[in-house]
């Protein structure tokens, strides 16, 4: 599935169709696009639609429309994760067969109740190891308990230090054993993203820094599957005046809303460029106009405040 690129650089846009794209997502996608297009690489698109309950009907097509409206393009056909479930299952099964993952029947509530430590950021409490070494296989766990079992990856190190190409050196806390295949048999995000980035030949991942704490887990999966990890660049989230991630409470910053209010794509991209240190306040630009001036060094490392956009129809 990997596509040839003159430079060998392969990036991707990986929207989750769980809601409408807003200015924060759009800024991340613009930076991912600029990083690859400014260096003549290949940019793929993958729809990450495996987060069952959160996926919204029509959101995948809406995300593609919004990206195109912004002037962001990609190479080849979009890859859709829900069409690749067998690949994830094979990888999870191989990790279990190699003794790297084990069957776990704990519910989320049990894990939370058993964890002594307070929640460790976005990644939830560290798994206390209840089912480690308890069952010989997924089938054995189900037979013994009458419960559906997940597959959990065995983490034997406290940290996987790594260097993020945007944020610099990271301590890389791993946070304990983590689920790679859910109790309903579907893949966990951590596994699907690694299987896909490797299968698609992705060499650079640009994404929001709320996924920085997931990266050590993904690096463990790359190593366990014998795959080479990409370069990671985690960019700061766009926040509102209260310092919290841009969300509905900060007003409607969805591209859909701005677009129906008659705001021009060039005004939105110009604003995102301003938030990224790549253009003047109130400037107008389309993505292609930003290519010549794009440098990662110009992009601010702190969270950027994006609720004062002044964009109106
Ligand atoms: N689909 C994820 C999101 O929209 C991005 C995952 C990734 O880039 O690894 O937040």
């Amino acid at each position: 599935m990997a596509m040839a690129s003159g430079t060998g650089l392969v990036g991707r846009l990986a929207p989750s169709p769980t809601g409408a794209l807003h200015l924060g997502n759009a800024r991340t996608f613009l930076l991912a696009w600029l990083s690859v297009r400014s260096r003549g690489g290949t940019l793929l698109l993958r729809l990450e639609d495996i987060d069952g309950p959160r996926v919204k009907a029509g959101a995948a097509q809406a995300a593609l429309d919004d990206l195109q409206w912004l002037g962001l393009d990609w190479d080849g056909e979009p890859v859709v994760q829900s069409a690749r479930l067998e690949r994830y299952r094979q990888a999870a099964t191989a990790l279990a067969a190699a003794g790297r993952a084990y069957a776990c029947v704990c519910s989320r509530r049990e894990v939370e109740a058993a964890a002594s430590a307070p929640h460790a950021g976005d990644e939830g409490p560290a798994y206390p190891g209840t089912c480690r070494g308890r069952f010989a296989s997924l089938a054995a766990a189900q037979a013994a308990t009458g419960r559906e079992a997940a597959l959990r990856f065995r983490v034997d190190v406290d940290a996987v230090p790594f260097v993020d190409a945007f944020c610099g050196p990271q301590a890389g806390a791993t946070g304990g054993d983590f689920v790679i295949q859910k109790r309903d048999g579907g893949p966990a995000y951590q596994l699907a993203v690694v299987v896909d980035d490797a299968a698609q030949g992705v060499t650079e991942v640009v994404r929001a820094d709320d996924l920085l704490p997931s990266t050590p887990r993904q690096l463990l999966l790359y190593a366990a599957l014998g795959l080479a990890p990409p370069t990671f660049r985690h960019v700061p989230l766009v926040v509102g005046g209260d310092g919290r991630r841009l969300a509905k409470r900060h007003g409607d910053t969805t591209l859909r809303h701005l677009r129906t209010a008659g705001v021009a794509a060039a005004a939105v991209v110009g604003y995102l460029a301003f938030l990224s240190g790549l253009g003047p306040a109130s400037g107008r630009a389309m993505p292609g106009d930003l290519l010549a001036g794009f440098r990662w060094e110009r992009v601010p490392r702190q969270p950027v405040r994006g609720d004062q956009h002044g964009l109106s129809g």
Side-chain angles (χ1 to χ4, degrees):
M1 211 169 23
M3 296 189 53
S5 146
T7 60
L9 172 63
V10 181
R12 44 61 158 196
L13 308 176
S16 296
T18 51
L21 294 190
H22 54 68
L23 287 174
N25 310 123
R27 176 174 177 272
T28 304
F29 292 136
L30 175 64
L31 290 170
W33 187 93
L34 287 169
S35 185
V36 169
R37 291 288 188 235
S38 66
R39 288 177 287 163
T42 298
L43 188 66
L44 307 177
L45 190 132
R46 185 169 70 235
L47 287 164
E48 304 210 315
D49 62 344
I50 50 168
D51 195 358
R54 294 180 59 227
V55 170
K56 302 215 170 47
Q61 190 55 48
L64 300 185
D65 290 348
D66 284 346
L67 291 170
Q68 278 167 335
W69 177 74
L70 277 181
L72 301 180
D73 65 349
W74 54 88
D75 301 308
E77 290 300 311
V79 164
V80 181
Q81 285 193 322
S82 58
R84 294 172 48 72
L85 299 179
E86 198 46 44
R87 295 286 293 262
Y88 313 132
R89 192 179 285 265
Q90 280 166 9
T93 304
L95 290 170
R100 305 300 305 266
Y102 59 88
C104 170
V105 295
C106 296
S107 67
R108 184 184 294 256
R109 187 177 299 177
E110 286 165 339
V111 173
E112 279 167 12
S116 52
H119 291 206
D122 284 339
E123 301 300 288
Y127 181 65
T130 320
C131 289
R132 247 198 197 219
R134 195 170 155 205
F135 308 109
S137 66
L138 213 49
Q142 285 163 353
T145 64
R147 295 167 83 172
E148 298 296 323
L151 283 176
R152 205 175 265 282
F153 187 79
R154 179 188 286 271
V155 178
D156 292 317
V157 290
D158 291 336
V160 182
F162 68 100
V163 178
D164 185 275
F166 187 75
C167 305
Q170 304 295 311
T174 48
D177 299 351
F178 61 92
V179 171
I180 55 171
Q181 181 172 294
K182 300 184 210 170
R183 296 170 79 193
D184 66 7
Y189 154 73
Q190 309 289 4
L191 180 68
V193 74
V194 167
V195 167
D196 285 345
D197 280 336
Q200 293 186 275
V202 168
T203 62
E204 176 181 271
V205 168
V206 175
R207 61 188 180 191
D209 66 4
D210 56 338
L211 289 169
L212 204 46
S214 285
T215 308
R217 296 175 169 196
Q218 294 171 17
L219 289 169
L220 288 172
L221 291 177
Y222 277 102
L225 292 166
L227 300 168
T231 299
F232 289 99
R233 295 181 197 270
H234 287 90
V235 299
L237 291 172
V238 177
V239 298
D242 54 2
R244 293 165 74 190
R245 174 207 294 237
L246 206 59
K248 286 217 178 74
R249 64 180 166 274
H250 300 112
D252 196 339
T253 67
T254 61
L255 300 184
R256 192 48 52 110
H257 170 75
L258 296 171
R259 199 172 152 180
T260 35
V263 178
V268 174
V269 175
Y271 178 65
L272 298 174
F274 167 64
L275 287 183
S276 306
L278 302 171
S282 312
R284 286 188 169 230
M286 287 306 277
D289 303 328
L290 304 170
L291 285 170
F294 177 74
R295 310 268 178 285
W296 273 111
E297 298 73 46
R298 294 179 67 182
V299 181
R301 284 176 167 58
Q302 317 73 31
V304 290
R305 183 167 170 192
D307 60 346
Q308 295 176 310
H309 50 76
L311 297 165
S312 55

